[in-house]
Amino acid sequence: MDFEVWPEAIELGQLFAEQGFELALVGGPVRDLLLRRPSHDLDFCTSARPEEFEPILHKWGQGFWDMGRKFGTLGALRRRSDGTEVKVEVTTYRSDSYQPNSRKPEVNYGSSLEGDLSRRDFTVNAMALRVPDLEFVDPFGGANDLAKKMLRTPVDPHQSFDDDPLRMMRAVRFVAQLDFRIALSTAEALSQMTDRITIVSAERVRDELIKLLTSEHPHQGVEALVDSGLAAYVLPEIPALQLQIDEHHRHKDVYEHSLMVLDRAVALETGPDGPVPAPDLTLRLAALLHDIGKPSTRRFESGGKVSFHHHDLVGAKIARKRLKALHFDKHITDDVCDLIAMHLRFHGYVDERWSDAAVRRYAKETGPLFERLNCLTRADATTRNKLKAHNFSAAMDELEDRVRQLKEKENFDAIRPDLNGQQIMEILDLEPGPLVGKAYQHMLDYRLDEGPVDQETACAELKAWWAQQQV
């Protein structure tokens, strides 16, 4: 094997060997070495107990943590001369046992590296490299599976998924991250045991879903999630998009369309200095979920037409419920749901260009989501009609250019009514309350429609509006 191993790993191995202990690099770092992928956090296992190797880590690193001590894991950090850091976690050989209704193992220390590797999720993660002598250990054929781009469990997959159901989510996540396929026997076991995922906490499922969606191949990961049956428990709104296509193909396969929109949204993400840096979880979630309101709003109209009226607003409500159930944070949940609710907002601009007031309102209401919404809108335009596609793209370009021009004249983020709340109360002789808020909103709408005006004009508009309220 041709390895170019981290010097910190070899040095740490030497320190363990001097004390008579075995140390081996394991899991993802070994896999990534073979794939020539970067890996910044190094995982090791050892024959030593935590109390025996803790002094070694203190000697080796500049930082230390022991949050995983009850699982036999300690960590350390080394700062390199170039300012970068390498983090290591070292775990005593383990031989875990699981209770049927829990994925939390009863931790038992093992006696060998091979035994420790047998309890890992997949063969491609069950390889090791002994340090400092660099002996490659592969008892389950992980290197061969890696070459075939295949995911297979080192032990019977039923037992592996029964022990830790989260491994099923990890399987579909690795499909997305590594562009691998799941071995037939492993895939069959996964499909038979999907209900076991229900004992895993929402947070752990969410974290795997995030890794899947922010990987290089999220499309393949979502397909694996759906095809395995896991999506029925994790994200049931996605398989529900597989609506039957009518014989005349008058509406699209919503599931395939959503995957296409996800691909197109990913392609529209920018570099680190752009407005939507890749990978953008918010955009990708919105792209995947943007049409989940369609199944419940589908109506068959006269003439064989199919409608999905208000699927944008319905979809936003469904998405909010699902994202909250998966314990996504409020900020991401709000942004994703706002994007879904607004994803049809641009439609109609192609046929009838908006006034400056309408453009100003669009930019103000979309706020910090303006760039993401435009990406989602472009991604959602999947028509095969070249003329329609060209006209739509040209209209989007024009809108973005008009917004840029307006922003050069006005600070949209700072747009306020020409009269503040105190002035409104003085002019209308009102006490603080709902009426003041209603008047303030009217003046904000007026500001968005008309642009900035002088105080006299604003005062006249407020009085005219107030007179209408008294009728």
Side-chain angles (χ1 to χ4, degrees):
M1 291 287 180
D2 177 23
F3 293 112
E4 184 177 345
V5 182
W6 298 267
E8 293 89 355
I10 295 176
E11 180 185 348
L12 194 58
Q14 290 170 337
L15 293 174
F16 272 71
E18 289 171 2
Q19 300 299 317
F21 302 128
E22 299 176 3
L23 185 69
L25 191 67
V26 293
V30 179
R31 179 197 69 222
D32 290 341
L33 268 178
L34 295 176
L35 290 174
R36 302 296 192 266
R37 288 164 55 99
S39 187
H40 305 291
D41 298 341
L42 307 182
D43 297 324
F44 297 86
C45 63
T46 179
S47 59
R49 300 296 176 90
E51 64 272 14
E52 293 175 321
F53 67 80
E54 180 175 348
I56 300 176
L57 292 183
H58 281 294
K59 179 180 180 180
W60 175 85
Q62 288 89 40
F64 174 83
W65 60 92
D66 65 351
M67 289 82 76
R69 185 183 292 273
K70 66 178 180 179
F71 300 110
T73 301
L74 302 178
L77 177 147
R78 165 75 70 85
R79 296 182 181 86
R80 298 182 175 126
S81 58
D82 63 0
T84 61
E85 297 178 344
V86 57
K87 297 178 182 178
V88 306
E89 286 196 345
V90 183
T91 303
T92 302
Y93 294 154
R94 284 165 54 174
S95 176
D96 300 338
S97 60
Y98 293 80
Q99 295 299 317
N101 296 319
S102 174
R103 64 168 296 273
K104 295 181 180 179
E106 294 180 1
V107 179
N108 300 306
Y109 291 137
S111 58
S112 70
L113 173 59
E114 289 74 10
D116 184 276
L117 295 176
S118 71
R119 50 167 289 277
R120 295 181 179 267
D121 53 6
F122 303 105
T123 60
V124 295
N125 293 329
M127 300 178 288
L129 187 65
R130 294 186 186 274
V131 287
D133 55 0
L134 302 185
E135 176 192 351
F136 182 61
V137 182
D138 183 17
F140 304 104
N144 186 48
D145 286 344
L146 197 65
K148 294 178 180 178
K149 303 182 72 172
M150 180 176 292
L151 291 168
R152 183 170 56 86
T153 56
V155 297
D156 178 83
H158 293 86
Q159 182 63 51
S160 181
F161 294 146
D162 193 54
D163 284 347
D164 187 356
L166 189 64
R167 289 170 178 165
M168 295 187 290
M169 282 296 298
R170 287 171 61 82
V172 297
R173 187 248 290 181
F174 282 130
V175 168
Q177 278 189 333
L178 303 174
D179 194 22
F180 279 22
R181 59 190 175 90
I182 304 173
L184 180 59
S185 60
T186 301
E188 288 177 344
L190 196 163
S191 294
Q192 293 164 6
M193 302 181 68
T194 50
D195 63 319
R196 286 282 289 162
I197 199 66
T198 57
I199 73 167
V200 180
S201 71
E203 291 84 358
R204 299 301 296 273
V205 171
R206 174 204 62 205
D207 290 347
E208 290 297 328
L209 188 60
I210 289 173
K211 292 175 183 177
L212 184 159
L213 288 173
T214 55
S215 66
E216 293 183 32
H217 309 281
H219 180 136
Q220 289 91 319
V222 173
E223 283 188 324
L225 191 72
V226 171
D227 293 345
S228 68
L230 271 176
Y233 296 92
V234 174
L235 210 57
E237 294 78 11
I238 301 306
L241 294 174
Q242 295 174 313
L243 303 176
Q244 182 179 359
I245 303 177
D246 64 281
E247 59 179 331
H248 300 293
H249 294 267
R250 288 195 177 95
H251 69 273
K252 303 173 184 176
D253 180 324
V254 185
Y255 171 65
E256 292 296 336
H257 167 74
S258 297
L259 290 178
M260 185 185 301
V261 173
L262 174 61
D263 286 340
R264 289 164 60 90
V266 170
L268 288 170
E269 291 172 342
T270 61
D273 297 326
V276 187
D280 191 277
L281 175 64
T282 300
L283 175 61
R284 295 184 184 199
L285 273 169
L288 179 62
L289 302 177
H290 78 285
D291 273 348
I292 60 173
K294 281 191 170 180
S296 58
T297 59
R298 181 171 62 160
R299 299 291 182 271
F300 294 97
E301 311 288 355
S302 60
K305 295 183 178 180
V306 181
S307 67
F308 302 96
H309 295 308
H310 306 300
H311 76 269
D312 46 348
L313 302 179
V314 172
K317 292 180 180 179
I318 296 172
R320 183 173 300 279
K321 183 177 180 181
R322 177 56 52 196
L323 295 177
K324 288 177 70 175
L326 288 168
H327 292 192
F328 276 87
D329 70 54
K330 185 178 185 302
H331 178 70
I332 288 180
T333 299
D334 288 345
D335 284 353
V336 170
C337 295
D338 285 348
L339 287 171
I340 294 172
M342 295 188 294
H343 82 270
L344 298 179
R345 187 72 64 89
F346 175 78
H347 290 250
Y349 185 94
V350 180
D351 300 322
E352 183 178 350
R353 297 300 192 265
W354 293 344
S355 65
D356 280 354
V359 172
R360 187 183 292 111
R361 184 179 297 277
Y362 178 83
K364 174 64 176 176
E365 291 179 354
T366 57
L369 295 176
F370 175 78
E371 299 289 354
R372 283 195 183 107
L373 180 58
N374 289 349
C375 285
L376 177 59
T377 303
R378 288 180 184 274
D380 192 31
T382 58
T383 179
R384 295 180 181 178
N385 184 307
K386 292 184 178 180
L387 179 60
K388 284 186 177 180
H390 176 269
N391 289 342
F392 190 91
S393 180
M396 283 293 302
D397 291 343
E398 180 184 283
L399 173 67
E400 290 176 342
D401 186 57
R402 290 179 66 187
V403 169
R404 278 192 292 270
Q405 292 179 24
L406 285 171
K407 283 187 173 181
E408 289 176 0
K409 300 176 183 177
E410 304 179 47
N411 181 0
F412 280 13
D413 294 334
I415 284 182
R416 299 289 186 275
D418 294 297
L419 299 173
N420 61 34
Q422 183 63 40
Q423 290 171 314
I424 289 172
M425 287 189 291
E426 291 175 358
I427 293 169
L428 300 182
D429 192 24
L430 292 175
E431 296 294 326
L435 283 177
V436 178
K438 191 175 180 181
Y440 185 92
Q441 183 60 51
H442 171 74
M443 294 308 297
L444 177 58
D445 291 340
Y446 180 76
R447 169 69 174 78
L448 289 170
D449 289 340
E450 303 298 331
V453 297
D454 57 44
Q455 290 283 306
E456 183 179 351
T457 303
C459 184
E461 171 61 29
L462 176 63
K463 290 179 178 178
W465 171 83
W466 181 244
Q468 291 178 347
Q469 305 307 303
Q470 309 308 305
V471 176

